[in-house]
Each structure stands twice: as C-alpha cells, then as structure tokens.
Amino acid sequence: MHVLVIGAAGMVGRKLVARIAADGAVGGRPVTKLSLMDVIAPQLPEGMAGEAWAADISAGGAADRMIAGRPELIFHLAAIVSGEAEADFDKGYRINLDGTRLLFEEIRQESLRAAGEGAEYKPRVVFTSSIAVFGAPFPDAIGDEFFTTPLTSYGTQKAIGELLLADYSRRGFFDGVGIRLPTICIRPGLPNKAASGFFSSILREPLAGKEAVLPVPDTVMHWHASPRAAVGFLLHAATLDTEPLGARRNLTMPGLAATVAEQIEALRRVAGDKAVALIRREPDETIMRIVAGWPRRFDAKRAESLGFQAEKSFDEIIRVHVEDELMGKVP
Amino acid sequence: MHVLVIGAAGMVGRKLVARIAADGAVGGRPVTKLSLMDVIAPQLPEGMAGEAWAADISAGGAADRMIAGRPELIFHLAAIVSGEAEADFDKGYRINLDGTRLLFEEIRQESLRAAGEGAEYKPRVVFTSSIAVFGAPFPDAIGDEFFTTPLTSYGTQKAIGELLLADYSRRGFFDGVGIRLPTICIRPGLPNKAASGFFSSILREPLAGKEAVLPVPDTVMHWHASPRAAVGFLLHAATLDTEPLGARRNLTMPGLAATVAEQIEALRRVAGDKAVALIRREPDETIMRIVAGWPRRFDAKRAESLGFQAEKSFDEIIRVHVEDELMGKVP
C-alpha cells in the first residue's frame, strides 16, 4: 500500500510516520511506499521506500505532485495553527481552506481520470480536524449532534474542511474520515506561546525538573488525549469500515475531561511533591478569557462505538509521556 | 441608504426589490440608491435611483463592481439551485462557494481600504441560506443547536457560506446575518423540475383551474413559508439588532410544518372540492426517496425570539398567494 502523509514534519505527523515505519504496515496491509510532505522537508524513516519533500500545500502543482502516484491512504495533517491563523487571516485561509480544497479537488480529478481509464481511484482520506470547530456557550457535555459555531478562523477553516470532506465522500470521489482531535497532552518539546500550552507544560516541565507557569485556576476543565492516542485515532480512522458512518464523516474523538487540579494530582502520584512544587501560579487574564470559550467535556459516543480509544486517567497520559519521551525515567 | 441586492432577478429577489421600491425605505431609512445584480439583468423599479446589471458573481471584477460604491446594506440571494449544483459539481462550487467568498473578501478589502482612509465601512450583509444545510436522520423537531450535515453539494455550499459569514462578522469586516429559508410555498410561475416543486404545484395549479401531480403520500410533512414571509425575513434581518446574536450569526427561520393532507384540506377550504379534484396522485419512488431525507419540522425558537415571523396556517399561505399572485381572485 502506498501511504501519503501531509504535514509529516509536525509533532503528530512525525509520531505517525515512526509508528507506520515500526509496524511496516497499516491495518495489516504492508506499506510498500511512503510519501511524506510538509512545509519543511520531513525525514523518510530508514528502510522505508518512498520519498519526502517540502512544499506549500496551497502552491500550484503541490497537490498534483502528492496525488500523481495515486496513494491509497492519505493522512492530511497539514495546518496553520490556531494562533497564527488568527493573526494572519490570509495565510490561515490560504493553507487551511484553499490547501485542503486543492488537495480534495486533485483527488477528485485523479479519480475522474482513473474512471476514464476504466480503473478506480478512491483513496481513504483521514483529515485531522479539531474541537476548535465548536464555540461557547456549551452544554455540560457536548454531544455528537451539537452544532459547529467556531470562535476562531482556524476552527472555521477546519469546519469547512469537514463539510468538504463529507461532500466529496458522499459524491464518491474518495472515502473520507474526519477526526476532531482533543487537545494533545503532554506535547513534547519546548514551551510555546499557544494559549493551550500550559496544559502540557505544567506536567512536562516539572517531569524534566524545570519550573512551569500555570496561568489559570485549578478548576479549569479541558479535553485531553496523549500523542500516542492521537496516532491511534489516525490509524484506526485509516482502517475503519466507513459504511456505518453514512454521510456523517466527521467524528469527535474520545478523550479525557480533567481539571487542572486533577492533572496536578496525577503529577503528584507519578513524580511526587517536588515535581508539583515546580508549578508557579501566575494568573493571566487574557489566557483565562480565551480558555473560558473552549470546550470542557464531550460525550463522544459515536467514535467510541466505532472503536476509537483514548486514555482513561491522567496518570495514564503522564505514563505515556514518560515512556515515549523520557525513556521510562521519572526524575 | 445604498442597498445592493445580489440575485435580484430571482423569484424572492424580485419580490424583495418590489417591496423596497414600494416602501422607499428599509427599517425606516430612506433608500437613496438601489444596486441590482444577477446573472440575467434585473429590472430597476421605476422611480428608484440606482443601477441594474448582469454579471457572474464568480467572475473577475464582479465583486469589485458590486462593492466599489460601498453599499450599506447587502442582500446576497444569488445561488445555483440544489438540483443544478448536484448535476454540475464545478458550477455549484464556483457560484455558491467561490462567488460568496469573493463577495465577502471584497467587502473585507473595502473595509480595510476604508480604515486606511480613517473611515469605517462595515455593511450589514444578509445571506440567504437554506434548510438544506441539514441532513437526515433528524429528531422530530430540529432545534437551533442541531448540527449541519448536508446531503447535497448545495447544502454543503450554503453551510460553508454560513461559516464564512460568521467568521467575517466575528472579525469585524461586516455585520452578517444568515437566514435559513424554509421551502417557499406557494412558488409562483410554471411547474419546474425541482423535487420540491409539487409542494407548490398541488396548490398553485388547482387555484388556476389546472391539473397537478402529487408524487408522494398525503402523510409527507415539510416546512413551509410564503414568498411574502421570505421577504419579511430578509427585511427583518436587514434591520435587526445583531448584538444578541453574538458569534452565532445563522438562524433557522420560522415556518409552518404541514403534511400534504393538511395542505390539501386548506386548499379545499379556500377553493372547494373542484380544486382538490384537480390533484392527480402519481406516486414517484425517486421523489419519495429524496423527500424522505428532508427536514419535516423545526423548533425555530431563536429566530422567533428575535422577531422573525411566518404564517401560522396553510389557509394563510394560500391566501397570501391569492392576494399577491391572483389579484385576490379564487376561481
């Protein structure tokens, strides 16, 4: 099977590629070719056949190069993140909306060309959406039929991508599954300026013996899943029987609703009081206001019934980080 | 006030323009200029200052010409209808999605230019959406927070237009209101091939002494409002205080849920048994299947609380038709 990963140099993209390379297969089907694209050149794992290149998804010819080899499985993870899409209106729409549409349209054109040759081209397309498609006010737990009223341009672009994915799938041009990822926790790497950054840094930094800043009260609740769970969602979406989805191709992924206090208590259980002591409380009105508009909890029945699985406790989320990023060692 | 009507030659567009010309004002503000655009040249009402021209909304320069005069109130009614957007994928996306986005983007550019001059340009934009943004299966009555999972490309394009309208409004480029029209009944004019055509023709044709074909059982329920109510929705959306809408700019309009049997009984009360006798039952499996995927009833609380009003009975819908199209005469 020929697999294309768009956005392969990002955090989730790299983990997905590493997992595919380690397994050598997706859903039991051997991966014979891996095509990796991102705005900065991704790394093709050693021993895998394929190619890796850098391109702007919205540039002329970019979609053509990605689809010309008729990949049977396409992961579309490329996006300008929330903060940047809000700061740069044009760039967000160009990459997140036009880039996605150009990709979908190129697949459609390729499927029409294949039909003209008496062949069939109808790849599985896994599109990473986000809980940012939802906007406050919310019910206590957001159900699978709740409407999408995003409060950011990023969320708007993802919601539009979902609609396009569903329509192109309904028309038979490809077989799409959209997955709305929870906030990924614990994000590895350096602290960043994302408003959501503290959900990871209050755990990741103390686990590395460093100080972290907590800008919101302990009572703030949010929806989380680990990077490992995110890769699991992607691979499950890649192999899922799409028949039961019907025309409703976009799914809120399961996750764990936890307060900051629950995160901190899990940290204490895993790494002790000395780790918790490294969290410095520094209330930030701006971040509090932004976070107040975010979803707290979902009732992701549909995805669960389709076999998607996330962590059941924050201890588990922390253990995944310790295993995958810290070689099993708690300081 | 300078008013722009895009799609001014269509059925609802013509009625809206006639009403504005008759009133000479919208919401009490005198209309000093009327700009009318459609793919076929609309008619500028006698005595109104302004201009009317034909253009393709998706063509280069079309949005520029519409917005250059900085209209303060913009009605966007232009669209490829459901059946054609399904038959011609490219045309549907070009007119319904690209055309709408080019318009919104031109308004944004004009608002940025105005800001550069120390002025403000932030028009009210009234966007006609449709209950086609919803797709079966449905709850018994569809609430204001039900998700949009369209089952047609037309519905997809309208749902995307709604998302863009909300985001451009949230960012302050214009002040948008999206209104999801019920099925308009009784549509004047000749019978057409729209799958929904029978809802009108089983009343309109007998009221004109002609035979009509009913392709579905009497038990089919659907969501209706008159052309006069549609014009009322548009004018109310044009003058509404948008503050209470917040970021949720798209509203399901009120309407009347009625079965075909209820439509027929209303016809009997208004025009007698001889009119009802002109309805010929000719079941059509294809139309039955299409109609089965359509919404039956909404609970349009939000729009009602904002003052939008539709007819309360089918007798009233028929009387509106008799008054507005038949000069008050029932055969």
Side-chain angles (χ1 to χ4, degrees), chain A residues 9 66 85 90-91 102 151 172 176 184 202 208 233 236 257 326:
Chain A
M66 290 191 281
D90 289 308
K91 188 174 179 186
L102 286 166
L151 293 177
I184 300 302
I202 58 167
F233 298 154
H236 189 61
L326 305 176

Side-chain angles (χ1 to χ4, degrees), chain A residues 134 139 141-147 180 252 297-300:
Chain A
F134 300 104
I142 302 172
D144 285 323
E145 301 189 343
F146 194 67
F147 67 165
R180 295 179 190 132
T252 298
R297 182 201 289 277
F298 290 86
D299 187 8

Side-chain angles (χ1 to χ4, degrees), chain A residues 135-209:
Chain A
F138 299 117
D140 176 50
I142 302 172
D144 285 323
E145 301 189 343
F146 194 67
F147 67 165
T148 54
T149 58
L151 293 177
T152 58
S153 293
Y154 173 82
T156 302
Q157 292 143 14
K158 287 293 186 188
I160 293 174
E162 290 188 359
L163 284 161
L164 292 171
L165 182 93
D167 199 41
Y168 276 69
S169 295
R170 189 185 59 81
R171 301 286 291 238
F173 303 128
F174 58 70
D175 184 18
V177 182
I179 61 174
R180 295 179 190 132
L181 295 181
T183 290
I184 300 302
C185 191
I186 303 171
R187 281 187 76 89
L190 296 173
N192 65 19
K193 291 192 170 174
S196 62
F198 71 87
F199 288 120
S200 282
S201 60
I202 58 167
L203 304 174
R204 183 190 58 234
E205 299 304 307
L207 283 168

Side-chain angles (χ1 to χ4, degrees), chain B residues 148-198:
Chain B
T148 52
T149 58
L151 293 176
T152 58
S153 293
Y154 172 81
T156 302
Q157 293 143 13
K158 287 294 187 188
I160 293 174
E162 290 189 359
L163 284 161
L164 292 172
L165 182 92
D167 198 41
Y168 275 70
S169 295
R170 189 185 60 80
R171 301 285 292 237
F173 304 128
F174 57 70
D175 184 20
V177 182
I179 61 174
R180 296 179 190 131
L181 296 180
T183 290
I184 301 301
C185 190
I186 301 171
R187 283 188 75 89
L190 296 172
N192 65 20
K193 291 193 169 174
S196 62
F198 70 87

